[in-house]
Amino acid sequence: MAVFVALGAFLMTLAGGWTAQRVTDRRHLVLGLAGGLMLGVVGLDLLPEALEAAGTEIYGVPAALLLFVAGFLLAHLVERLLAARQAAHGAENTDGRAPEVGLTAAAAMVGHSAMDGVAIGAAFQVGGGMVAAVALAVIAHDFADGFNTYTITSLYGNARRKALIMLFADAAAPVVGAASTAFLTIPKQLLGGYLGFFGGALLYLAAAEILPEAHHEHPARSTLLCTIAGAAFIWLVVGLAG
């Protein structure tokens, strides 16, 4: 049953990626929406879960927050290093962006989706109303995951084929994660640390890359409204799941 529910997440992820592809003539709106979705996922979903799961503090600061900052800084460092390497070798890029950054970010989205599948499997082990709540949250926000995975991969200059490969990998990840719960259990603190770290990296991409690009050529009010709508959608999903 856990794998069956995860198939719903699979379809929603593909639907999100398909939507991102079909509205390329409104690229600024797509990027504005993606930025809002990513902001909402980090601030309203990943970070609260990370703080609850990680638990421990290091020198008075929750470990999840330290990893959150580390993820943000590492994403910034990796992007700068890859961009500098491309510039040194005279390679073509997309406005100074290294395609590897897009692939790395998409791979992190795949890992996050796998954790979504693990959450579905764990909810079935707990039973009761937990199953419905977790399944609703995962399936609903996997639309945003698919949307963001395709958008991030494409934004950094990767070919459409690579963007589709990452999209399908992201779609399959919840199914794999749900199936894995029959064989393993991930420690709660480890999961919390991962969520914090991933949230920091995702916030960097949203704040430093996605949103500035969305407003670069089209500083329209509609772009801002799409960003607000994206964050509000995640708020709605989190509220329904709670």
Side-chain angles (χ1 to χ4, degrees):
M1 283 299 296
V3 174
F4 180 76
V5 172
L7 288 174
F10 174 87
L11 295 175
M12 286 298 288
T13 302
L14 292 182
W18 180 84
T19 302
Q21 290 183 72
R22 300 298 295 179
V23 290
T24 51
D25 57 329
R26 294 288 185 269
R27 186 169 179 267
H28 59 292
L29 299 181
V30 171
L31 293 173
L33 180 60
L37 290 171
M38 291 167 71
L39 175 62
V41 166
V42 173
L44 307 178
D45 184 18
L46 293 182
L47 201 51
E49 286 186 28
L51 288 169
E52 181 181 354
T56 59
E57 292 188 355
I58 301 175
Y59 287 103
V61 178
L65 288 182
L66 289 174
L67 287 166
F68 175 82
V69 173
F72 187 99
L73 293 175
L74 182 63
H76 175 60
L77 176 63
V78 168
E79 184 192 35
R80 291 299 89 204
L81 288 176
L82 288 174
R85 188 188 70 177
Q86 280 206 339
H89 288 80
E92 295 184 358
N93 53 47
T94 305
D95 297 328
R97 294 185 175 87
E100 295 92 339
V101 174
L103 293 176
T104 301
M109 295 294 293
V110 173
H112 170 53
S113 294
M115 293 300 102
D116 284 345
V118 170
I120 293 176
F124 270 90
Q125 293 176 7
V126 173
M130 181 65 71
V131 173
V134 172
L136 175 64
V138 169
I139 291 175
H141 97 249
D142 270 5
F143 178 88
D145 284 351
F147 191 98
N148 289 335
T149 297
Y150 186 88
T151 301
I152 289 172
T153 309
S154 301
L155 178 65
Y156 280 82
N158 290 286
R160 181 174 179 270
R161 179 179 60 85
K162 290 185 178 180
L164 288 175
I165 289 174
M166 297 309 299
L167 173 63
F168 276 96
D170 189 51
V175 181
V176 175
S180 71
T181 57
F183 309 101
L184 58 88
T185 301
I186 298 178
K188 188 176 182 180
Q189 287 189 335
L190 180 62
L191 179 60
Y194 164 78
L195 292 176
F197 184 83
F198 172 66
L202 200 61
L203 182 63
Y204 173 80
L205 293 174
E209 299 294 333
I210 303 294
L211 290 177
E213 179 69 13
H215 293 276
H216 177 61
E217 296 181 359
H218 298 275
R221 185 178 303 173
S222 56
T223 307
L224 178 60
L225 291 176
C226 283
T227 302
I228 295 172
F233 173 75
I234 299 299
W235 184 17
L236 176 63
V237 169
V238 172
L240 290 174

